[in-house]
Amino acid sequence: MKITSPIVSRRSLLRGSAAAAATSLAHAGRASAQDATAESAFEARIDLRLNVNGHQHALTVEPRVTLLDALRERMQLTGTKKGCNRGECGACTVLMDGRRVNSCLVLAASADGREITTIEGLADGDTPHPVQRAFAEADAFQCGFCTSGQIMSAVACIEEGHTGSPKEIREWMSGNLCRCSAYPQITAAVAAAAEELG
Ligand code: FES
Ligand code: FES
């Protein structure tokens, strides 16, 4: 089969080259403007005051820092665990104004001025919170990686009144995964703590 090729005049070739050069310069200009914007976004810092477990913490962080990273890496509150880091496992559960949140999905900036409670803030001195005690008594963990998230979630679950039956507890605790599959003991611990807390 004969392959035909278009005949290109020298003039049209030069015109085409000039247009291509102009386009690539425009692209380069846009790219460097975008690079500069991205660079300044990375350099940006914001000042925050986080109220965690009743203590005020003044922090300067990049706007993209999550509440989870601020807790673990800036305040050394490592009881809150990082599992999936994308809202799927519940290991990072903390309370924000009394409601449970996945701290890996909350920007530290949006927690500014809110009341944050982590696992470190539950006990009363040396006396564990009733939910902590119930987890220990029911043996509601194996490796323990999910446990602080489970306990924080259980505190809110009880407060919300979603503990009418084991089925209801399982449903309202379903955002907290346990790879060791300690679910029967976790459900029993939540039920026992709910009964104690009335
Ligand atoms: S670490 Fe936040 S949900 Fe898994
Ligand atoms: S106790 Fe191991 S993941 Fe839950």
Side-chain angles (χ1 to χ4, degrees):
M1 185 171 67
K2 186 179 174 201
I3 299 175
T4 57
S5 66
I7 298 169
V8 180
S9 73
R10 187 164 177 269
R11 180 170 299 204
S12 71
L13 180 67
L14 287 174
R15 260 204 307 268
S17 305
T23 308
S24 99
L25 275 176
H27 278 305
R30 268 203 301 277
S32 76
Q34 280 165 354
D35 284 353
T37 310
E39 217 166 90
S40 65
F42 276 113
E43 283 167 4
R45 297 284 186 279
I46 48 175
D47 294 324
L48 304 176
R49 287 192 83 76
L50 294 187
N51 178 352
V52 182
N53 302 328
H55 300 287
Q56 294 287 341
H57 296 259
L59 297 180
T60 301
V61 297
E62 294 173 23
R64 67 196 170 105
V65 168
T66 63
L67 176 58
L68 175 61
D69 285 341
L71 290 169
R72 288 182 56 82
E73 291 167 23
R74 301 297 300 276
M75 297 177 223
Q76 281 68 55
L77 293 172
T78 53
T80 304
K81 301 301 181 201
K82 184 185 278 189
C84 64
N85 203 27
R86 56 183 188 192
E88 289 175 358
C89 72
C92 64
T93 305
V94 300
L95 305 184
M96 186 153 85
D97 292 339
R99 298 173 63 107
R100 41 187 162 169
V101 295
N102 289 329
S103 59
C104 67
L105 295 184
V106 175
L107 288 174
S110 66
D112 191 24
R114 318 285 290 272
E115 209 170 291
I116 309 299
T117 309
T118 69
I119 191 75
E120 290 91 345
L122 275 193
D124 180 8
D126 288 340
T127 309
H129 186 281
V131 176
Q132 292 175 303
R133 201 172 58 248
F135 268 67
E137 285 169 0
D139 229 355
F141 44 80
Q142 289 181 43
C143 77
F145 191 81
C146 71
T147 308
S148 51
Q150 300 278 3
I151 289 175
M152 296 313 294
S153 201
V155 169
C157 182
I158 293 168
E159 187 66 32
E160 292 159 13
H162 296 306
T163 55
S165 66
K167 185 169 182 273
E168 189 180 10
I169 292 172
R170 282 197 297 275
E171 175 66 25
W172 287 89
M173 290 291 293
S174 61
N176 291 80
L177 305 183
C178 175
R179 288 183 59 170
C180 302
S181 210
Y183 296 114
Q185 296 91 328
I186 291 169
T187 305
V190 178
E195 200 170 321
E196 181 181 340
L197 290 166

